[in-house]
Amino acid sequence: MSHTLDNIDKAILNLLQDDATLPLKTVAERVHVSIATAQRRIQVLIDSDVITKQVAIVNPDKVGYGLTAVVMIEMERSNTSMQHRFERLMDAQSRIMSCYEVSGDFDFMLMVNAKNMSDYHQFTRSLLTYENNVRNFKSQFVMNFTKSGTKITLD
């Protein structure tokens, strides 16, 4: 289902991306529509997969996952079935926050959270192996979060 966004939809999305727990009444007031209209529009945005998930964003340090790594993956064989298998494997891993297929020298980029270096090492030993079609991987560790978010500002 395709959905063309108008200015009201964009305003609703900007609000909900900042705080998905806003009461419906507040959303309606801020975008200058009735509560019923706001509710209907939000439902259409959900039904058309514009809104794919509503979540709480957790500070990894506060929950014991103080190590974040950006991992670049080079696949051994680049064929569609092997890539789909790898994507399914990565999707099933709780340590992986994001998995992107990318252009350039590498095939995939992962954002991985771990408790510590030992936990990360175990992750790489068990998942980033030849058995999972990984030829090579390169890890870069996040030293500081200057900005970390999920918002796509719509205008």
Side-chain angles (χ1 to χ4, degrees):
M1 177 187 308
S2 180
H3 181 74
T4 304
L5 301 177
D6 64 13
N7 289 336
I8 293 172
D9 292 328
K10 291 175 185 178
I12 290 170
L13 289 168
N14 284 333
L15 286 171
L16 294 180
Q17 286 183 93
D18 285 333
D19 184 358
T21 66
L22 281 175
L24 197 51
K25 180 180 180 196
T26 303
V27 172
E29 288 171 353
R30 290 192 186 166
V31 300
H32 310 291
V33 297
S34 70
I35 293 172
T37 297
Q39 183 176 32
R40 188 171 48 257
R41 283 179 174 260
I42 291 168
Q43 191 59 54
V44 168
L45 293 167
I46 292 168
D47 293 344
S48 60
D49 286 330
V50 173
I51 296 175
T52 58
K53 190 181 279 191
Q54 297 178 44
V55 299
I57 298 174
V58 175
N59 180 332
D61 287 329
K62 301 285 186 181
V63 295
Y65 286 82
L67 184 71
T68 300
V70 177
V71 186
M72 303 303 291
I73 307 287
E74 181 184 3
M75 305 304 287
E76 181 65 34
R77 294 175 300 283
S78 287
N79 64 54
T80 302
S81 67
M82 293 302 286
Q83 286 181 308
H84 286 258
R85 180 181 175 274
F86 182 79
E87 289 168 349
R88 285 190 304 274
L89 179 65
M90 295 301 105
D91 188 50
Q93 304 307 312
S94 61
R95 297 278 186 271
I96 298 174
M97 293 187 59
S98 303
C99 175
Y100 302 98
E101 184 178 2
V102 296
S103 63
D105 295 334
F106 292 92
D107 299 299
F108 289 93
M109 182 183 84
L110 310 176
M111 290 292 292
V112 179
N113 276 343
K115 293 177 182 178
N116 51 42
M117 187 56 76
S118 177
D119 186 39
Y120 179 74
H121 183 74
Q122 187 278 327
F123 164 81
T124 63
R125 290 285 180 161
S126 65
L127 289 170
L128 304 183
T129 63
Y130 183 78
E131 292 84 37
N132 291 325
N133 194 35
V134 175
R135 174 185 294 158
N136 183 32
F137 70 92
K138 182 178 182 178
S139 303
Q140 304 224 288
F141 299 97
V142 173
M143 303 294 290
N144 183 33
F145 286 99
T146 302
K147 180 177 182 178
S148 176
T150 60
K151 184 176 183 178
I152 301 169
T153 302
L154 304 171
D155 45 48

